[in-house]
Amino acid sequence: MHIPENYLSPQTCAVMTAAMVPVWTVSIRRVKEELPKVKIPMIGVCAAFSFLGMMFNVPLPGGTTGHAVGGTLIAILLGPYASCLAVSVALLLQALIFGDGGVLSFGANCFNMAFVLPFVGYAVYRTLKKVFKGKNGNLAAAGIGSYIGINCAALCAAIEFGIQPLLFKDASGNALYCPYPLSVSIPAMMIGHLTIFGLAEVVFTVLILAYIEKTSPSMLETRTAGKTSKAVNILLGALIVATPLGLLAEGTAWGEWGADEIAATGAGYTPAGMLKGFSFDALLPDYSVSGLPDVFGYILSAIIGAALLIIIFKLLGTIGGRKKTATQP
């Protein structure tokens, strides 16, 4: 679901980024108002869950792959506004350091995965939580919410892909950017997410939520301290070690082919906007490290990404705490 560089026109990217600016602004304000400073570092831990979840590629018959995101999970743990910030920063690191998702399309990717997914998923979860009673009612509501959330996000991405050939063409009538119309993009995106990828989101959400409910229930309590429990650290470590399982899925996610591959995917040509568009050289492209086997490069990338997210939000929590102390009489 990570939209690469030059699949969307610069105009589309600008509109999607502009749409996210008020979302980020409100999210920052609401997190400051609703989440105690001691809980801010927990956003980094949850962002690491999302980052690692997106490294576990799941195959779909036909050669494409997808992954979980964890946006609804984070919304359940810390609220949808914190989830928006957590997933946004994870997507930013993925784009800048690992080349996963475009820099120009960052706003569009955040709109889909950091806005639509967690807010829709959390709304469904809150509604169903009132209906589902019993021991596993909370988990059932979380599973259904996460499934609907990721499918709504996938639909948004499909529409963003599909409107490109309608709006941006060259003199010959060929698409300048993504060449797949809505009649292709919507089925292609939704088939995978309504089946395997949606199920992956459910499994990721329910298993981690059940684990946290059992081992670290304080994460579900808004006013408790924000120190990460030993059980959560163990889970993060286990996910990092297991990330190379994502390498077993062969193929590329639909709509994430490189410009040199797209002509062979059914388009029959490479759109001019892709050939002459914006390019950015990531530090560790495709979660690989030069000179290291893919497995070790993947694990090292997982460590770097998770560590940076935890450090970033820990620093933000520390800075926020100092400002509050300084303004107190």
Side-chain angles (χ1 to χ4, degrees):
M1 204 188 302
H2 289 69
I3 300 175
E5 221 71 82
N6 304 314
Y7 268 73
L8 305 183
S9 69
Q11 297 94 320
T12 305
C13 293
V15 169
M16 300 306 296
T17 301
M20 279 304 299
V21 169
V23 177
W24 286 321
T25 302
V26 172
S27 294
I28 291 171
R29 177 173 59 81
R30 291 294 293 270
V31 166
K32 286 181 178 179
E33 292 174 354
E34 300 174 1
L35 204 65
K37 294 294 187 295
V38 293
K39 297 286 284 189
I40 298 298
M42 295 308 302
I43 301 179
V45 174
C46 289
F49 280 138
S50 178
F51 177 88
L52 296 172
M54 288 188 273
M55 293 183 70
F56 285 92
N57 294 313
V58 180
L60 185 72
T64 62
T65 63
H67 54 74
V69 177
T72 302
L73 169 68
I74 303 173
I76 294 170
L77 295 175
L78 297 174
Y81 298 100
S83 180
C84 177
L85 298 180
V87 178
S88 292
V89 177
L91 290 171
L92 181 62
L93 291 188
Q94 286 178 324
L96 293 178
I97 300 177
F98 305 102
D100 194 2
V103 173
L104 288 185
S105 57
F106 170 67
N109 285 324
C110 286
F111 183 87
N112 303 331
M113 288 184 275
F115 174 51
V116 173
L117 193 163
F119 280 90
V120 170
Y122 186 68
V124 173
Y125 162 78
R126 286 292 300 271
T127 301
L128 294 180
K129 188 179 178 182
K130 301 174 184 176
V131 177
F132 295 151
K133 306 297 181 180
K135 182 179 179 181
N136 295 318
N138 188 55
L139 296 179
I144 296 172
S146 66
Y147 178 82
I148 294 176
I150 197 170
N151 275 283
C152 286
L155 178 60
C156 288
I159 292 171
E160 291 153 15
F161 280 130
I163 63 174
Q164 299 306 303
L166 293 175
L167 300 177
F168 307 99
K169 300 178 181 180
D170 61 19
S172 302
N174 291 325
L176 286 171
Y177 303 99
C178 176
Y180 307 109
L182 291 167
S183 60
V184 173
S185 65
I186 291 179
M189 285 291 291
M190 298 314 298
I191 289 173
H193 286 85
L194 286 169
T195 54
I196 304 299
F197 309 148
L199 180 60
E201 183 78 3
V202 172
V203 172
F204 185 78
T205 299
V206 171
L207 288 183
I208 292 182
L209 182 59
Y211 178 86
I212 289 174
E213 285 182 345
K214 183 175 181 179
T215 65
S216 308
S218 62
M219 283 189 68
L220 298 167
E221 300 171 7
T222 305
R223 296 295 167 183
T224 55
K227 185 177 180 180
T228 307
S229 70
K230 181 179 179 181
V232 171
N233 288 330
I234 291 173
L235 178 59
L236 282 172
L239 288 173
I240 288 171
V241 173
T243 51
L245 291 173
L247 294 169
L248 297 177
E250 297 183 358
T252 304
W254 191 92
E256 295 186 21
W257 302 287
D260 56 338
E261 302 173 294
I262 198 165
T265 63
Y269 66 98
T270 303
M274 290 187 172
L275 290 173
K276 302 176 182 179
F278 176 79
S279 63
F280 177 81
D281 294 326
L283 181 64
L284 302 172
D286 298 322
Y287 307 100
S288 62
V289 179
S290 179
L292 286 180
D294 289 345
V295 169
F296 294 108
Y298 218 64
I299 291 176
L300 182 56
S301 295
I303 293 171
I304 292 171
L308 284 175
L309 288 166
I310 292 170
I311 290 170
I312 287 170
F313 283 99
K314 188 174 182 62
L315 288 174
L316 290 175
T318 301
I319 293 170
R322 287 176 179 172
K323 286 183 178 179
K324 183 176 180 180
T325 301
T327 56
Q328 288 177 342

